[in-house]
Amino acid sequence: MSIEQLSLAGRARVHAALGEPARLAIVDALAVGDVSPGEIADRLGLATNLVAHHVQVLQDAGVLVRTRSEGDRRRTYLRLVPGAISAIAPPPLAATSRILFVCTHNSARSQLAAAMWPRRSAIPVVCAGTQPAARVHPRAARIARRHGLSLARARTAHVADVRRPDDLVVAVCDTAHEHLAAADSDRLHWSVPDPAGADTDEAFESAYAELAERIDRLAPALVPPPRPGA
């Protein structure tokens, strides 16, 4: 089989997998954040065994993958495979006045996300942690400098001291997502592995690249709030 035929076969599998309303709804839910199978079941009102079937079909088609939580190892999250469904745009989101990136220690992932966000969007941004560290991780600051960003003035903060009711909260780690209120249905979740565990420049570069890819997907889907008097 030629490369062109392989490509057509792969595209056909994706189209076939998405040709069922429940599976398309799952993909819509994953377009801007990672979600667990249980959260999918609650959100769509589906039985867990039916969710498991649809997830397996999407996984077999190469649309999504499963990852195990770094917080609660009993949990798994679903995420889209980058580029697998590039023809499908993220679902429209409500007007957003500010983005709040949250990770556990507010020392690396959330700081990097907040630093790169203004390059993609004019919507204001802040960051915080559920268990903030004393300072920004030195490797995060170094990786930021490599990409023309500065964390020299960045300080860590607790999410309770920063959050406003109109913020769009984006939890960029599993533990922070699980620590935040479960009833907060407007929150997005990105399951970005903690680079501090490996504590290498490569791990921090990988986290930076994943955050950048996700920000590139999210920013065009957000609508800035209307200007006063407009």
Side-chain angles (χ1 to χ4, degrees), residues 119-147:
R119 289 182 170 178
R120 314 304 203 274
S121 173
I123 297 174
V125 63
V126 291
C127 64
T130 54
Q131 299 172 15
R135 60 170 184 159
V136 174
H137 198 291
R139 287 191 191 274
R142 182 157 64 246
I143 296 306
R145 286 196 299 272
R146 286 185 184 175
H147 294 273

PDB file of all heavy atoms in Angstrom, residues 119-147:
ATOM      1  N   ARG A 119       1.639  36.474  23.917  1.00  0.00           N
ATOM      2  CA  ARG A 119       2.059  36.387  22.515  1.00  0.00           C
ATOM      3  C   ARG A 119       0.932  35.871  21.626  1.00  0.00           C
ATOM      4  O   ARG A 119       0.969  36.066  20.409  1.00  0.00           O
ATOM      5  CB  ARG A 119       3.258  35.450  22.385  1.00  0.00           C
ATOM      6  CG  ARG A 119       4.552  36.000  22.961  1.00  0.00           C
ATOM      7  CD  ARG A 119       5.684  35.008  22.735  1.00  0.00           C
ATOM      8  NE  ARG A 119       6.994  35.584  23.056  1.00  0.00           N
ATOM      9  CZ  ARG A 119       8.135  34.915  22.974  1.00  0.00           C
ATOM     10  NH1 ARG A 119       8.117  33.638  22.577  1.00  0.00           N
ATOM     11  NH2 ARG A 119       9.285  35.495  23.292  1.00  0.00           N
ATOM     12  N   ARG A 120      -0.056  35.193  22.214  1.00  0.00           N
ATOM     13  CA  ARG A 120      -1.135  34.568  21.442  1.00  0.00           C
ATOM     14  C   ARG A 120      -2.466  35.301  21.578  1.00  0.00           C
ATOM     15  O   ARG A 120      -3.343  35.130  20.743  1.00  0.00           O
ATOM     16  CB  ARG A 120      -1.358  33.114  21.870  1.00  0.00           C
ATOM     17  CG  ARG A 120      -0.129  32.233  22.046  1.00  0.00           C
ATOM     18  CD  ARG A 120       0.751  32.157  20.828  1.00  0.00           C
ATOM     19  NE  ARG A 120       1.576  30.958  20.806  1.00  0.00           N
ATOM     20  CZ  ARG A 120       2.753  30.846  21.403  1.00  0.00           C
ATOM     21  NH1 ARG A 120       3.243  31.845  22.119  1.00  0.00           N
ATOM     22  NH2 ARG A 120       3.447  29.722  21.301  1.00  0.00           N
ATOM     23  N   SER A 121      -2.642  36.069  22.658  1.00  0.00           N
ATOM     24  CA  SER A 121      -3.962  36.655  22.919  1.00  0.00           C
ATOM     25  C   SER A 121      -3.829  37.947  23.713  1.00  0.00           C
ATOM     26  O   SER A 121      -2.895  38.115  24.518  1.00  0.00           O
ATOM     27  CB  SER A 121      -4.824  35.662  23.708  1.00  0.00           C
ATOM     28  OG  SER A 121      -6.042  36.248  24.117  1.00  0.00           O
ATOM     29  N   ALA A 122      -4.790  38.865  23.495  1.00  0.00           N
ATOM     30  CA  ALA A 122      -4.837  40.121  24.252  1.00  0.00           C
ATOM     31  C   ALA A 122      -5.629  39.980  25.548  1.00  0.00           C
ATOM     32  O   ALA A 122      -5.694  40.929  26.334  1.00  0.00           O
ATOM     33  CB  ALA A 122      -5.454  41.216  23.383  1.00  0.00           C
ATOM     34  N   ILE A 123      -6.222  38.824  25.784  1.00  0.00           N
ATOM     35  CA  ILE A 123      -6.974  38.605  27.025  1.00  0.00           C
ATOM     36  C   ILE A 123      -5.988  38.579  28.191  1.00  0.00           C
ATOM     37  O   ILE A 123      -4.988  37.863  28.136  1.00  0.00           O
ATOM     38  CB  ILE A 123      -7.768  37.288  26.952  1.00  0.00           C
ATOM     39  CG1 ILE A 123      -8.814  37.364  25.832  1.00  0.00           C
ATOM     40  CG2 ILE A 123      -8.449  36.990  28.282  1.00  0.00           C
ATOM     41  CD1 ILE A 123      -9.546  36.060  25.579  1.00  0.00           C
ATOM     42  N   PRO A 124      -6.234  39.338  29.264  1.00  0.00           N
ATOM     43  CA  PRO A 124      -5.308  39.359  30.406  1.00  0.00           C
ATOM     44  C   PRO A 124      -5.093  37.974  31.000  1.00  0.00           C
ATOM     45  O   PRO A 124      -5.961  37.093  30.901  1.00  0.00           O
ATOM     46  CB  PRO A 124      -5.996  40.300  31.398  1.00  0.00           C
ATOM     47  CG  PRO A 124      -6.889  41.150  30.562  1.00  0.00           C
ATOM     48  CD  PRO A 124      -7.356  40.270  29.440  1.00  0.00           C
ATOM     49  N   VAL A 125      -3.944  37.778  31.645  1.00  0.00           N
ATOM     50  CA  VAL A 125      -3.594  36.465  32.191  1.00  0.00           C
ATOM     51  C   VAL A 125      -2.887  36.615  33.531  1.00  0.00           C
ATOM     52  O   VAL A 125      -2.156  37.592  33.764  1.00  0.00           O
ATOM     53  CB  VAL A 125      -2.693  35.686  31.193  1.00  0.00           C
ATOM     54  CG1 VAL A 125      -1.371  36.403  30.982  1.00  0.00           C
ATOM     55  CG2 VAL A 125      -2.468  34.256  31.654  1.00  0.00           C
ATOM     56  N   VAL A 126      -3.122  35.671  34.433  1.00  0.00           N
ATOM     57  CA  VAL A 126      -2.407  35.561  35.702  1.00  0.00           C
ATOM     58  C   VAL A 126      -2.178  34.070  35.952  1.00  0.00           C
ATOM     59  O   VAL A 126      -2.696  33.217  35.222  1.00  0.00           O
ATOM     60  CB  VAL A 126      -3.192  36.174  36.886  1.00  0.00           C
ATOM     61  CG1 VAL A 126      -3.283  37.680  36.765  1.00  0.00           C
ATOM     62  CG2 VAL A 126      -4.581  35.543  36.992  1.00  0.00           C
ATOM     63  N   CYS A 127      -1.405  33.760  36.993  1.00  0.00           N
ATOM     64  CA  CYS A 127      -1.192  32.360  37.339  1.00  0.00           C
ATOM     65  C   CYS A 127      -1.113  32.212  38.849  1.00  0.00           C
ATOM     66  O   CYS A 127      -0.870  33.183  39.570  1.00  0.00           O
ATOM     67  CB  CYS A 127       0.049  31.789  36.664  1.00  0.00           C
ATOM     68  SG  CYS A 127       1.610  32.543  37.186  1.00  0.00           S
ATOM     69  N   ALA A 128      -1.333  30.985  39.331  1.00  0.00           N
ATOM     70  CA  ALA A 128      -1.326  30.715  40.769  1.00  0.00           C
ATOM     71  C   ALA A 128      -1.155  29.222  40.988  1.00  0.00           C
ATOM     72  O   ALA A 128      -1.116  28.434  40.038  1.00  0.00           O
ATOM     73  CB  ALA A 128      -2.616  31.213  41.420  1.00  0.00           C
ATOM     74  N   GLY A 129      -1.057  28.824  42.274  1.00  0.00           N
ATOM     75  CA  GLY A 129      -0.892  27.413  42.620  1.00  0.00           C
ATOM     76  C   GLY A 129      -1.825  27.014  43.742  1.00  0.00           C
ATOM     77  O   GLY A 129      -2.290  27.854  44.516  1.00  0.00           O
ATOM     78  N   THR A 130      -2.095  25.716  43.823  1.00  0.00           N
ATOM     79  CA  THR A 130      -2.902  25.205  44.941  1.00  0.00           C
ATOM     80  C   THR A 130      -2.041  24.990  46.177  1.00  0.00           C
ATOM     81  O   THR A 130      -2.548  25.016  47.303  1.00  0.00           O
ATOM     82  CB  THR A 130      -3.583  23.881  44.547  1.00  0.00           C
ATOM     83  OG1 THR A 130      -2.586  22.952  44.081  1.00  0.00           O
ATOM     84  CG2 THR A 130      -4.608  24.103  43.444  1.00  0.00           C
ATOM     85  N   GLN A 131      -0.741  24.777  45.977  1.00  0.00           N
ATOM     86  CA  GLN A 131       0.229  24.660  47.075  1.00  0.00           C
ATOM     87  C   GLN A 131       1.498  25.393  46.630  1.00  0.00           C
ATOM     88  O   GLN A 131       2.501  24.760  46.318  1.00  0.00           O
ATOM     89  CB  GLN A 131       0.534  23.194  47.386  1.00  0.00           C
ATOM     90  CG  GLN A 131      -0.669  22.382  47.824  1.00  0.00           C
ATOM     91  CD  GLN A 131      -0.356  20.885  47.934  1.00  0.00           C
ATOM     92  OE1 GLN A 131       0.802  20.477  47.956  1.00  0.00           O
ATOM     93  NE2 GLN A 131      -1.390  20.077  47.989  1.00  0.00           N
ATOM     94  N   PRO A 132       1.455  26.724  46.563  1.00  0.00           N
ATOM     95  CA  PRO A 132       2.548  27.468  45.940  1.00  0.00           C
ATOM     96  C   PRO A 132       3.894  27.275  46.614  1.00  0.00           C
ATOM     97  O   PRO A 132       3.992  27.214  47.843  1.00  0.00           O
ATOM     98  CB  PRO A 132       2.078  28.921  46.041  1.00  0.00           C
ATOM     99  CG  PRO A 132       1.039  28.936  47.104  1.00  0.00           C
ATOM    100  CD  PRO A 132       0.380  27.599  47.052  1.00  0.00           C
ATOM    101  N   ALA A 133       4.924  27.163  45.788  1.00  0.00           N
ATOM    102  CA  ALA A 133       6.300  27.066  46.279  1.00  0.00           C
ATOM    103  C   ALA A 133       6.796  28.458  46.673  1.00  0.00           C
ATOM    104  O   ALA A 133       6.126  29.465  46.443  1.00  0.00           O
ATOM    105  CB  ALA A 133       7.193  26.473  45.201  1.00  0.00           C
ATOM    106  N   ALA A 134       7.981  28.502  47.235  1.00  0.00           N
ATOM    107  CA  ALA A 134       8.540  29.778  47.678  1.00  0.00           C
ATOM    108  C   ALA A 134       9.018  30.630  46.507  1.00  0.00           C
ATOM    109  O   ALA A 134       9.071  31.852  46.603  1.00  0.00           O
ATOM    110  CB  ALA A 134       9.687  29.534  48.651  1.00  0.00           C
ATOM    111  N   ARG A 135       9.370  29.977  45.377  1.00  0.00           N
ATOM    112  CA  ARG A 135       9.918  30.740  44.258  1.00  0.00           C
ATOM    113  C   ARG A 135       9.666  29.984  42.956  1.00  0.00           C
ATOM    114  O   ARG A 135       9.299  28.801  42.949  1.00  0.00           O
ATOM    115  CB  ARG A 135      11.420  30.942  44.429  1.00  0.00           C
ATOM    116  CG  ARG A 135      12.194  29.628  44.501  1.00  0.00           C
ATOM    117  CD  ARG A 135      13.695  29.828  44.433  1.00  0.00           C
ATOM    118  NE  ARG A 135      14.404  28.548  44.404  1.00  0.00           N
ATOM    119  CZ  ARG A 135      15.635  28.398  43.957  1.00  0.00           C
ATOM    120  NH1 ARG A 135      16.305  29.437  43.494  1.00  0.00           N
ATOM    121  NH2 ARG A 135      16.221  27.205  43.959  1.00  0.00           N
ATOM    122  N   VAL A 136       9.872  30.684  41.857  1.00  0.00           N
ATOM    123  CA  VAL A 136       9.793  30.075  40.536  1.00  0.00           C
ATOM    124  C   VAL A 136      10.988  29.152  40.344  1.00  0.00           C
ATOM    125  O   VAL A 136      12.108  29.466  40.763  1.00  0.00           O
ATOM    126  CB  VAL A 136       9.772  31.162  39.449  1.00  0.00           C
ATOM    127  CG1 VAL A 136       9.836  30.546  38.058  1.00  0.00           C
ATOM    128  CG2 VAL A 136       8.535  32.038  39.594  1.00  0.00           C
ATOM    129  N   HIS A 137      10.756  27.999  39.727  1.00  0.00           N
ATOM    130  CA  HIS A 137      11.824  27.029  39.515  1.00  0.00           C
ATOM    131  C   HIS A 137      12.898  27.619  38.597  1.00  0.00           C
ATOM    132  O   HIS A 137      12.579  28.183  37.533  1.00  0.00           O
ATOM    133  CB  HIS A 137      11.250  25.766  38.874  1.00  0.00           C
ATOM    134  CG  HIS A 137      12.129  24.565  38.997  1.00  0.00           C
ATOM    135  ND1 HIS A 137      13.327  24.451  38.326  1.00  0.00           N
ATOM    136  CD2 HIS A 137      11.975  23.413  39.706  1.00  0.00           C
ATOM    137  CE1 HIS A 137      13.878  23.293  38.610  1.00  0.00           C
ATOM    138  NE2 HIS A 137      13.081  22.631  39.456  1.00  0.00           N
ATOM    139  N   PRO A 138      14.177  27.520  38.971  1.00  0.00           N
ATOM    140  CA  PRO A 138      15.250  28.096  38.138  1.00  0.00           C
ATOM    141  C   PRO A 138      15.269  27.571  36.710  1.00  0.00           C
ATOM    142  O   PRO A 138      15.581  28.318  35.780  1.00  0.00           O
ATOM    143  CB  PRO A 138      16.525  27.710  38.884  1.00  0.00           C
ATOM    144  CG  PRO A 138      16.088  27.485  40.299  1.00  0.00           C
ATOM    145  CD  PRO A 138      14.698  26.941  40.213  1.00  0.00           C
ATOM    146  N   ARG A 139      14.953  26.295  36.514  1.00  0.00           N
ATOM    147  CA  ARG A 139      14.951  25.761  35.145  1.00  0.00           C
ATOM    148  C   ARG A 139      13.817  26.374  34.318  1.00  0.00           C
ATOM    149  O   ARG A 139      13.974  26.593  33.111  1.00  0.00           O
ATOM    150  CB  ARG A 139      14.830  24.233  35.152  1.00  0.00           C
ATOM    151  CG  ARG A 139      16.085  23.510  35.597  1.00  0.00           C
ATOM    152  CD  ARG A 139      15.977  22.027  35.312  1.00  0.00           C
ATOM    153  NE  ARG A 139      17.039  21.273  35.940  1.00  0.00           N
ATOM    154  CZ  ARG A 139      18.250  21.078  35.401  1.00  0.00           C
ATOM    155  NH1 ARG A 139      18.524  21.604  34.217  1.00  0.00           N
ATOM    156  NH2 ARG A 139      19.163  20.370  36.050  1.00  0.00           N
ATOM    157  N   ALA A 140      12.679  26.641  34.956  1.00  0.00           N
ATOM    158  CA  ALA A 140      11.579  27.293  34.236  1.00  0.00           C
ATOM    159  C   ALA A 140      12.014  28.675  33.763  1.00  0.00           C
ATOM    160  O   ALA A 140      11.726  29.081  32.625  1.00  0.00           O
ATOM    161  CB  ALA A 140      10.346  27.386  35.128  1.00  0.00           C
ATOM    162  N   ALA A 141      12.715  29.401  34.625  1.00  0.00           N
ATOM    163  CA  ALA A 141      13.212  30.722  34.247  1.00  0.00           C
ATOM    164  C   ALA A 141      14.213  30.621  33.098  1.00  0.00           C
ATOM    165  O   ALA A 141      14.209  31.453  32.170  1.00  0.00           O
ATOM    166  CB  ALA A 141      13.848  31.401  35.450  1.00  0.00           C
ATOM    167  N   ARG A 142      15.063  29.593  33.136  1.00  0.00           N
ATOM    168  CA  ARG A 142      16.065  29.420  32.085  1.00  0.00           C
ATOM    169  C   ARG A 142      15.408  29.071  30.745  1.00  0.00           C
ATOM    170  O   ARG A 142      15.782  29.620  29.694  1.00  0.00           O
ATOM    171  CB  ARG A 142      17.067  28.341  32.483  1.00  0.00           C
ATOM    172  CG  ARG A 142      18.176  28.152  31.449  1.00  0.00           C
ATOM    173  CD  ARG A 142      19.424  27.534  32.033  1.00  0.00           C
ATOM    174  NE  ARG A 142      19.227  26.186  32.528  1.00  0.00           N
ATOM    175  CZ  ARG A 142      19.317  25.844  33.821  1.00  0.00           C
ATOM    176  NH1 ARG A 142      19.579  26.764  34.735  1.00  0.00           N
ATOM    177  NH2 ARG A 142      19.139  24.582  34.203  1.00  0.00           N
ATOM    178  N   ILE A 143      14.418  28.174  30.769  1.00  0.00           N
ATOM    179  CA  ILE A 143      13.734  27.798  29.532  1.00  0.00           C
ATOM    180  C   ILE A 143      12.973  28.994  28.973  1.00  0.00           C
ATOM    181  O   ILE A 143      12.924  29.207  27.758  1.00  0.00           O
ATOM    182  CB  ILE A 143      12.787  26.609  29.784  1.00  0.00           C
ATOM    183  CG1 ILE A 143      13.590  25.357  30.194  1.00  0.00           C
ATOM    184  CG2 ILE A 143      11.931  26.321  28.547  1.00  0.00           C
ATOM    185  CD1 ILE A 143      14.690  24.966  29.231  1.00  0.00           C
ATOM    186  N   ALA A 144      12.372  29.782  29.855  1.00  0.00           N
ATOM    187  CA  ALA A 144      11.664  30.981  29.397  1.00  0.00           C
ATOM    188  C   ALA A 144      12.620  31.909  28.657  1.00  0.00           C
ATOM    189  O   ALA A 144      12.295  32.438  27.585  1.00  0.00           O
ATOM    190  CB  ALA A 144      11.028  31.695  30.583  1.00  0.00           C
ATOM    191  N   ARG A 145      13.813  32.115  29.199  1.00  0.00           N
ATOM    192  CA  ARG A 145      14.796  32.994  28.547  1.00  0.00           C
ATOM    193  C   ARG A 145      15.182  32.468  27.172  1.00  0.00           C
ATOM    194  O   ARG A 145      15.386  33.248  26.229  1.00  0.00           O
ATOM    195  CB  ARG A 145      16.040  33.133  29.420  1.00  0.00           C
ATOM    196  CG  ARG A 145      15.844  34.018  30.639  1.00  0.00           C
ATOM    197  CD  ARG A 145      17.184  34.430  31.251  1.00  0.00           C
ATOM    198  NE  ARG A 145      17.965  33.278  31.695  1.00  0.00           N
ATOM    199  CZ  ARG A 145      17.877  32.729  32.896  1.00  0.00           C
ATOM    200  NH1 ARG A 145      17.002  33.221  33.791  1.00  0.00           N
ATOM    201  NH2 ARG A 145      18.625  31.692  33.240  1.00  0.00           N
ATOM    202  N   ARG A 146      15.288  31.144  27.039  1.00  0.00           N
ATOM    203  CA  ARG A 146      15.630  30.560  25.732  1.00  0.00           C
ATOM    204  C   ARG A 146      14.612  30.930  24.667  1.00  0.00           C
ATOM    205  O   ARG A 146      14.934  31.004  23.478  1.00  0.00           O
ATOM    206  CB  ARG A 146      15.705  29.033  25.845  1.00  0.00           C
ATOM    207  CG  ARG A 146      16.925  28.498  26.546  1.00  0.00           C
ATOM    208  CD  ARG A 146      16.921  26.987  26.480  1.00  0.00           C
ATOM    209  NE  ARG A 146      18.023  26.412  27.231  1.00  0.00           N
ATOM    210  CZ  ARG A 146      18.187  25.099  27.409  1.00  0.00           C
ATOM    211  NH1 ARG A 146      17.320  24.240  26.857  1.00  0.00           N
ATOM    212  NH2 ARG A 146      19.216  24.639  28.117  1.00  0.00           N
ATOM    213  N   HIS A 147      13.366  31.129  25.109  1.00  0.00           N
ATOM    214  CA  HIS A 147      12.294  31.428  24.164  1.00  0.00           C
ATOM    215  C   HIS A 147      11.931  32.910  24.148  1.00  0.00           C
ATOM    216  O   HIS A 147      10.853  33.287  23.688  1.00  0.00           O
ATOM    217  CB  HIS A 147      11.068  30.577  24.491  1.00  0.00           C
ATOM    218  CG  HIS A 147      11.296  29.113  24.274  1.00  0.00           C
ATOM    219  ND1 HIS A 147      11.107  28.511  23.047  1.00  0.00           N
ATOM    220  CD2 HIS A 147      11.723  28.125  25.115  1.00  0.00           C
ATOM    221  CE1 HIS A 147      11.383  27.213  23.142  1.00  0.00           C
ATOM    222  NE2 HIS A 147      11.759  26.955  24.383  1.00  0.00           N
TER     223      HIS A 147
END
